[in-house]
């Protein structure tokens, strides 16, 4: 059984792990739309990203051969028409995986986010069509297309929800485009917050989501200490958090495995939540993060009344991540679980404090190694 | 010509009122007043490493680039009309330097503080600096100070830059024998003033940007990770800088209160490492209340031969009443600010440095007792009963009492 897969976003966090998972099947060939950089060809970028991802996933160099032999970069850019690809020499793909996206969420990048995520998806659909994809157009969306909606989030295309930021808005629009492309038998996968590998706890690239939050907290700590030695440890912070909020984190290898298994299935469903059915309380995760970063535990409060300036700035500084701690969402997984079969419980779902601490510690060490306090500018002036 | 009188730096936290002293000293027959030299040549501390390369000799070109260069933070601020109030260079259309060209660091304040003929002095100074053989940075700058001293017929020089308390360890290490006059002012007044002062706002913005990015965007074209910058800092990158962006920077007094405490903690530690006779601490509030003895004490510290009653009279006459501004804040803001400054007050108290009993004066009999009941005394002395009550009330009113306070 050999299959050709076409993947966008293969140099990224989710895309590279998806490719590793696809390679697990003998004979599979992967064609990955890849941008060149000023210093590296598309092929070199792809190969090195995949080798990197393989190391983070705990593979030794045994997989490097498969990566070199069976993964091929197709130079292009989702911002170009047909992704800048002439399909002439390409084998017809069985499956098309559109994973590339911009994970920025700030208003000031709105135009770029919409171009990449909405126009990019339009171009990916066009490329899938012109390449004559045989089975499915698989689109990696996000569970957070639910926007501000709370409670039970169904595996269905919904409308009318209010997005929290341009990223969510762009992913909602892109889902709309994909859903309408019935000729491509579309499937929409919605992962929640993707974290490192379930065994190694490591991440090879694209430190967004939970990692972005950890980095914010560390930076804040460093900044406070820069302003006044020891301020971060003295100034206990109040942070607004809903005690019932759950933080839906899921390891990247679990995501990749579920994508590939559902991809191969004959399921006729369109939307699949790739989420953790047993997510930890957000407050507990934040406790672990503060502890691992040697910060005094924040005091969780329900509103901003009486917050001091630093606390207000922390609230503002958390920006996007604030939504992690507000409200409770439960993601339905009927389509996913039905398709995957739920015979053996997935060990990667387990997120007790000790497990979460391992993921956080790995990243805190990475950050400490690379972003130590700048030497204090002891100079005059200031 | 080498001065027999050991160098003196007037140091303090930002906005401690020391500018007034530079102006007074300028009028003294024997002392050369070097104003804002360190601030200008380090470009608000952003170029410290370039100004004082660690252990490496500095040649004539490097020294002149530091002194006569156009530094990026100053230039951005000048272009957009938000230069420091202290800037003395006249920006007339007929001036040699203007907002577009930028103004060389030493012409910002230091030379115009000494003479109206600053442009000619600048050229003369360049000719002199260009004769320098490579030497350690500070020795080169001291050469400049001594040259200026001779040029103006003075016998000693005193450098004063806003916020230079932070530089004490470096100054003490680079210039063994250097002495320090430490001006202390109520942190709450310093903080309010810093929060309105363009120089300190710029310094704070750059500190935060550098910390988030891990590099200094004013010193490199690298732009890795700028997505991480909150909008208000993104708009202060050199390529986006504008007067409006700078005006809308949210940097309130409480932030500077924390900064003041940090500076005080670090500064007092550095000063405590020096022999006692090399440090004179004077409270700004004490100078205002009773200027003459303190001004006399100050020049005596610089050198006893400088005590000059005429000068004391003239200098004291220039003092204008300064309103303490923090008491005008709404009660909650007062308490937030007091909270932020508490660690600084505490460390001052620990060193026995309180108004009316400055470090140079004998410690009062109750100082020992005070050490033991320090926290309460600290609050009572610095915060005042009303503010202490307000603070207590504000604390009680909080959502939760579990938040450890900075006190
Ligand atoms: N990470 C999460 O927690 C998470 C959660 C839910 C959903 N998702 C979804 O998962 C997908 C992948 O996310 P990720 O975490 O893997 O992000 P990532 O690590 O940032 O990777 C993004 C990928 O998209 C590619 N890309 C971006 N712009 C492109 C363009 N103009 N042309 C071609 N390729 C382009 C990037 O290529 P370069 O290497 O050339 O930049 C990279 O391969 C996204 O659709 C995201 O919405 C992620």
């Amino acid at each position: 059984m050999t299959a050709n897969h076409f993947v966008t976003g293969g140099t990224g966090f989710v895309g590279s792990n998806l490719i590793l998972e696809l390679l697990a099947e003998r004979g599979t060939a992967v064609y990955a739309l890849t941008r060149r950089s000023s210093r590296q060809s598309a092929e070199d970028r792809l190969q090195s990203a995949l080798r990197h991802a393989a190391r983070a996933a705990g593979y030794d160099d045994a997989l490097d051969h498969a990566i070199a032999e069976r993964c091929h970069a197709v130079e292009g850019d989702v911002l170009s028409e047909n992704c800048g690809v002439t399909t002439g020499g390409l084998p017809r793909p069985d499956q098309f995986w559109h994973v590339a996206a911009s994970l920025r969420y700030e208003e000031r990048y709105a135009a770029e986010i919409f171009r990449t995520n909405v126009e990019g998806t339009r171009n990916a659909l066009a490329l899938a069509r012109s390449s004559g994809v045989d089975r499915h157009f698989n689109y990696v969306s996000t569970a957070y297309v639910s926007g501000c909606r709370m409670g039970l989030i169904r595996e269905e295309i919904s409308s009318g929800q209010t997005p929290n930021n341009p990223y969510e808005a762009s992913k909602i629009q892109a889902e709309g485009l994909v859903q309408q492309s019935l000729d491509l038998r579309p499937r929409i996968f919605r992962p929640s917050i993707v974290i490192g590998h379930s065994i190694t706890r490591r991440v090879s690239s694209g430190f967004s989501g939970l990692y972005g939050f950890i980095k914010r907290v560390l930076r804040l700590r460093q900044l406070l200490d820069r302003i006044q030695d020891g301020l971060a440890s003295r100034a206990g912070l109040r942070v607004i958090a809903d005690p019932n909020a759950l933080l839906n984190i899921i390891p990247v290898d679990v995501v990749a495995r579920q994508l590939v298994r559902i991809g191969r299935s004959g399921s006729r469903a369109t939307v699949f939540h790739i989420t953790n059915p047993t997510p930890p309380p957000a407050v507990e995760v934040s406790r672990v993060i503060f502890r691992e970063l040697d910060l005094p535990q924040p005091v969780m409060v329900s509103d901003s009344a009486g917050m001091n300036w630093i606390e207000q700035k922390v609230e503002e500084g958390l920006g996007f991540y604030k939504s992690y701690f507000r409200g409770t969402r439960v993601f339905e997984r009927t389509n996913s679980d039905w398709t995957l079969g739920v015979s053996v419980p997935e060990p990667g779902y387990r997120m007790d404090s000790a497990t979460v601490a391992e993921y956080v510690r790995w990243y805190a060490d990475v950050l400490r190694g690379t972003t130590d306090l700048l030497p204090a500018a002891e100079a005059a002036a200031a | 010509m080498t001065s027999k009188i050991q160098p003196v730096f007037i140091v303090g936290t930002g906005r401690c009122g020391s500018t007034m002293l530079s102006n007074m000293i300028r009028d003294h027959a024997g002392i050369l007043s070097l104003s804002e030299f360190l601030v200008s040549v380090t470009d608000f501390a952003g170029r410290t490493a370039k100004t004082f390369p660690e252990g490496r000799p500095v040649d004539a070109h490097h020294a002149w680039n530091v002194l006569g260069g156009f530094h990026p933070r100053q230039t951005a601020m000048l272009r957009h009309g938000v230069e420091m109030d202290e800037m003395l260079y006249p920006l007339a259309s007929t001036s040699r330097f203007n907002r577009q060209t930028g103004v060389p660091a030493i012409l910002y304040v230091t030379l115009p503080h000494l003479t109206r003929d600053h442009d000619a002095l600048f050229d003369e100074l360049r000719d002199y600096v260009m004769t320098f053989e490579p030497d350690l940075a500070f020795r080169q700058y001291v050469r400049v100070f001594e040259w200026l001293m001779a040029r103006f017929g003075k016998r000693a020089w005193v450098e004063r830059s806003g916020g230079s308390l932070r530089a004490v360890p470096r100054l003490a290490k680079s210039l063994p024998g250097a002495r320090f006059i430490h001006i202390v002012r109520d942190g709450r007044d310093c903080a309010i003033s810093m929060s309105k002062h363009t120089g300190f706002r710029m310094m704070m913005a750059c500190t935060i940007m550098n910390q988030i990015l891990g590099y200094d965007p004013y010193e490199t074209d690298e732009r890795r990770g700028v997505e991480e910058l909150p909008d208000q800092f993104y708009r202060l990158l050199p390529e986006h800088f504008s007067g409006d962006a700078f005006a809308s920077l949210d940097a309130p007094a409480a932030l500077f209160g924390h900064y003041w405490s940090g500076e005080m903690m670090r500064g007092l530690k550095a000063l405590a490492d020096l022999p006692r006779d090399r440090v004179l601490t004077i409270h700004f509030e004490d100078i205002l209340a009773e200027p003459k003895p303190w001004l006399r004490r100050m020049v005596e510290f610089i050198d006893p031969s400088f005590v000059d009653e005429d000068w004391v009279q003239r200098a004291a006459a220039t003092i204008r009443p300064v309103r303490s501004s923090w008491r005008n804040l709404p009660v909650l803001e007062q308490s937030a600010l007091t909270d932020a400054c508490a660690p600084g007050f505490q460390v001052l108290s620990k060193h026995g440095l309180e108004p009316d009993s400055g470090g140079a004066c004998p410690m009062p009999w109750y100082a020992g007792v005070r050490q033991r009941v320090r926290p309460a005394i600290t609050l009572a002395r610095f915060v005042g009963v009303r503010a202490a009550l307000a603070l207590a009330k504000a604390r009680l009113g909080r959502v939760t009492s579990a938040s450890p306070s900075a006190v």
Side-chain angles (χ1 to χ4, degrees):
Chain A
M1 214 178 46
T2 60
N4 291 322
H5 293 262
F6 194 96
V7 179
T8 71
T11 51
F13 178 38
V14 174
S16 57
N17 280 278
L18 168 71
I19 293 177
L20 298 183
E21 190 61 32
L22 290 170
L23 289 180
E25 188 178 51
R26 293 239 321 262
T28 310
V30 175
Y31 294 82
L33 184 83
T34 311
R35 295 188 283 189
R36 60 155 50 243
S37 73
S38 53
R39 277 170 294 134
Q40 269 188 308
S41 68
E43 188 65 44
D44 287 351
R45 284 197 64 222
L46 177 71
Q47 292 290 328
S48 102
L50 293 177
R51 280 197 303 272
H52 221 70
R55 289 301 160 293
Y59 292 103
D60 57 21
D61 50 13
L63 202 64
D64 292 4
H65 183 70
I67 292 171
E69 292 291 306
R70 289 153 58 200
C71 297
H72 314 282
V74 177
E75 192 178 316
D77 189 317
V78 298
L79 297 179
S80 313
E81 208 173 307
N82 218 40
C83 301
V85 174
T86 36
T87 42
L90 277 182
R92 178 178 173 174
D94 297 280
Q95 304 261 11
F96 194 106
W97 299 89
H98 178 42
V99 189
S102 163
L103 274 80
R104 300 250 53 90
Y105 51 81
E106 300 87 349
E107 268 321 317
R108 68 171 187 258
Y109 296 112
E112 177 198 319
I113 294 168
F114 279 96
R115 259 200 321 275
T116 308
N117 296 358
V118 182
E119 290 317 306
T121 298
R122 209 187 297 280
N123 291 327
L125 287 163
L127 174 61
R129 218 165 258 131
S130 66
S131 67
V133 60
D134 189 35
R135 295 187 56 204
H136 295 282
F137 182 91
N138 301 292
Y139 170 58
V140 177
S141 180
T142 167
Y144 297 96
V145 288
S146 48
C148 295
R149 205 166 266 167
M150 295 294 152
L152 179 67
I153 311 292
R154 297 217 174 267
E155 285 173 303
E156 64 189 16
I157 304 285
S158 51
S159 55
Q161 67 272 48
T162 311
N164 286 297
N165 51 55
Y167 170 72
E168 290 177 4
S170 72
K171 296 295 270 188
I172 293 170
Q173 280 190 30
E175 276 199 1
L177 293 176
V178 173
Q179 180 215 6
Q180 288 157 20
S181 306
L182 293 176
D183 55 319
L184 295 173
R185 288 169 301 283
R187 280 172 171 167
I188 294 172
F189 295 95
R190 291 179 183 160
S192 50
I193 302 165
V194 185
I195 60 171
H197 190 278
S198 65
I199 310 284
T200 65
R201 315 295 195 215
R202 293 170 59 184
V203 172
S204 57
S205 68
F207 295 95
S208 54
L210 184 70
Y211 299 96
F213 176 69
I214 298 173
K215 191 158 155 193
R216 280 275 160 107
V217 174
L218 182 71
R219 291 263 199 251
L220 184 80
R221 187 216 138 95
Q222 293 174 325
L223 187 56
L224 291 179
D225 280 343
R226 180 104 192 250
I227 286 167
Q228 186 194 111
D229 283 345
L231 179 59
S233 358
R234 278 193 302 276
L237 290 176
R238 283 169 292 184
V239 176
I240 302 176
D242 172 350
N244 299 317
L246 300 171
L247 197 67
N248 205 299
I249 46 183
I250 184 161
V252 69
D253 51 318
V254 177
V255 171
R257 220 162 27 242
Q258 297 193 354
L259 291 181
V260 171
R261 283 181 55 198
I262 297 171
R264 286 197 191 113
S265 76
S267 170
R268 299 171 73 112
T270 305
V271 180
F272 301 87
H273 278 166
I274 310 296
T275 50
N276 192 331
T278 54
V283 172
E284 191 48 44
V285 176
S286 99
R287 245 179 231 133
V288 170
I289 292 173
F290 277 73
R291 194 185 66 218
E292 291 300 323
L293 296 177
D294 305 320
L295 279 169
Q297 285 301 323
V299 177
M300 303 299 178
V301 294
S302 54
D303 58 46
S304 62
M307 277 193 161
N308 65 32
W309 183 83
I310 290 187
E311 291 163 336
Q312 286 164 17
K313 286 294 127 184
V314 172
E315 275 298 303
E316 275 172 42
L318 291 182
F320 164 79
Y321 303 104
K322 278 189 294 204
S323 65
Y324 285 7
F325 298 93
R326 314 278 157 86
T328 309
R329 298 180 187 88
V330 174
F331 296 103
E332 180 195 19
R333 276 191 56 109
T334 312
N335 292 344
S336 303
D337 286 339
W338 183 260
T339 310
L340 293 166
V342 278
S343 46
V344 192
E346 167 58 60
Y349 288 152
R350 224 183 73 192
M351 289 295 163
D352 51 54
S353 296
T355 309
V356 173
E358 287 179 18
Y359 287 102
V360 174
R361 202 170 303 142
W362 177 82
Y363 187 55
D365 287 346
V366 169
L367 283 178
R368 283 202 190 92
T370 54
T371 61
D372 258 352
L373 275 176
L374 291 176
E378 87 276 41
Chain B
M1 177 174 138
T2 311
S3 165
K4 296 272 185 317
I5 298 167
Q6 290 294 343
V8 175
F9 292 90
I10 297 179
V11 296
T13 63
R15 310 302 288 160
C16 65
S18 62
T19 310
M20 167 180 100
L21 299 177
S22 280
N23 293 335
M24 291 173 176
I25 292 170
R26 178 177 50 186
D27 187 36
H28 193 285
I31 313 171
L32 179 81
S33 169
L34 293 163
S35 185
E36 308 286 9
F37 176 84
L38 293 171
V39 171
S40 311
V41 298
T42 60
D43 200 18
F44 304 114
R47 300 203 131 187
T48 305
K50 285 193 171 138
T51 309
F52 306 104
E54 201 69 51
R56 264 195 302 121
V58 158
D59 65 13
H61 278 98
H62 186 125
W64 186 246
N65 274 340
V66 168
L67 302 167
F70 303 93
H71 297 335
R73 275 152 285 254
Q74 278 155 17
T75 305
M77 292 168 74
L78 207 55
R79 288 227 166 112
H80 297 276
V82 290
E83 64 278 0
M84 299 197 292
D85 287 346
E86 288 82 348
M87 168 144 135
L88 294 177
Y89 190 84
L91 291 168
S93 55
T94 49
S95 295
R96 176 168 165 191
F97 301 104
N98 56 46
R99 293 194 185 281
Q100 285 319 306
T101 59
V103 171
I106 200 158
L107 269 178
Y108 221 73
V109 181
T110 313
L111 298 188
H113 174 73
L114 296 172
T115 170
R116 280 167 184 269
D117 210 3
H118 38 73
D119 283 354
L121 181 61
F122 177 74
D123 291 335
E124 253 181 80
L125 179 63
R126 188 195 48 223
D127 292 345
Y128 172 60
V129 170
M130 291 320 266
T131 66
F132 285 4
E133 293 298 322
D135 199 351
L136 292 178
F138 236 103
R139 292 212 200 120
Q140 306 285 39
Y141 306 136
V142 166
R143 274 191 190 103
V144 170
F145 300 165
E146 292 184 345
W147 181 84
L148 286 168
M149 207 169 77
R151 175 81 170 56
F152 287 90
K154 310 272 179 153
R155 289 191 294 122
W157 55 262
V158 173
E159 200 283 341
R160 182 215 54 90
S161 282
S164 61
L165 182 59
R166 190 164 255 255
V168 168
R170 179 183 293 275
L171 298 173
K173 189 171 146 219
S174 314
L175 292 177
R179 295 172 302 144
F180 299 92
I181 298 172
H182 178 198
I183 307 295
V184 179
R185 184 185 184 190
D186 188 314
R188 293 163 292 190
D189 287 329
C190 295
I192 290 175
S193 182
M194 281 193 271
S195 72
K196 295 177 184 154
H197 184 267
T198 57
F200 285 96
R201 284 164 59 79
M202 186 66 173
M203 176 281 301
M204 185 58 80
C206 289
T207 301
I208 295 175
M209 276 196 275
N210 295 359
Q211 190 62 52
I212 294 174
L213 295 173
Y215 58 86
D216 181 350
Y218 275 85
E219 298 293 335
T220 163
D221 291 338
E222 179 172 356
R223 288 294 178 266
R224 183 175 34 88
V226 287
E227 320 81 63
E228 304 269 340
L229 288 176
D231 285 346
Q232 62 163 342
F233 298 110
Y234 183 81
R235 290 163 55 212
L236 294 180
L237 287 169
E239 57 273 30
H240 303 308
F241 192 95
S242 71
D244 285 347
F246 189 69
S248 61
L249 173 72
D250 180 19
L255 172 65
F256 284 98
H258 288 291
Y259 174 70
W260 178 85
S261 288
E263 295 297 274
M264 199 50 86
M265 290 156 75
R266 188 201 296 254
L268 289 187
K269 188 160 170 290
L271 289 171
D273 288 343
L274 297 171
R276 288 189 70 130
D277 63 347
R278 282 170 55 192
V279 182
L280 171 68
T281 304
I282 303 181
H283 286 271
F284 177 69
E285 291 82 1
D286 290 349
I287 304 181
L288 293 188
E290 219 185 336
K292 289 177 197 162
W294 288 107
L295 294 175
R296 211 172 283 127
R297 181 78 190 83
M298 183 178 79
V299 280
E300 195 181 8
F301 176 83
I302 299 169
D303 194 77
S305 67
F306 287 140
V307 177
D308 165 357
E309 282 311 314
D310 279 353
W311 175 82
V312 171
Q313 298 291 341
R314 281 201 311 277
T318 63
I319 292 181
R320 300 274 163 270
V322 176
R323 269 183 307 115
S324 165
S325 45
W326 70 269
R327 289 192 175 80
N328 303 329
L329 290 179
V331 154
L332 269 178
E333 278 176 48
Q334 273 189 30
S335 76
L337 188 52
T338 300
D339 242 359
C341 293
F345 287 138
Q346 210 167 340
V347 76
L348 276 166
S349 173
K350 191 173 128 200
H351 284 83
L353 299 174
E354 289 152 339
D356 304 317
S357 63
C361 297
M363 293 273 276
W365 63 268
Y366 49 83
V369 181
R370 186 186 286 153
Q371 297 294 322
R372 261 169 275 136
V373 288
R374 195 175 57 226
I377 295 282
T378 303
L379 274 181
R381 209 169 160 76
F382 286 108
V383 180
V385 177
R386 267 209 348 232
L389 281 175
L391 183 64
K393 256 168 61 185
R395 287 255 174 82
L396 285 174
R398 282 182 176 178
V399 182
T400 159
S401 58
S403 161
S405 89
V407 181

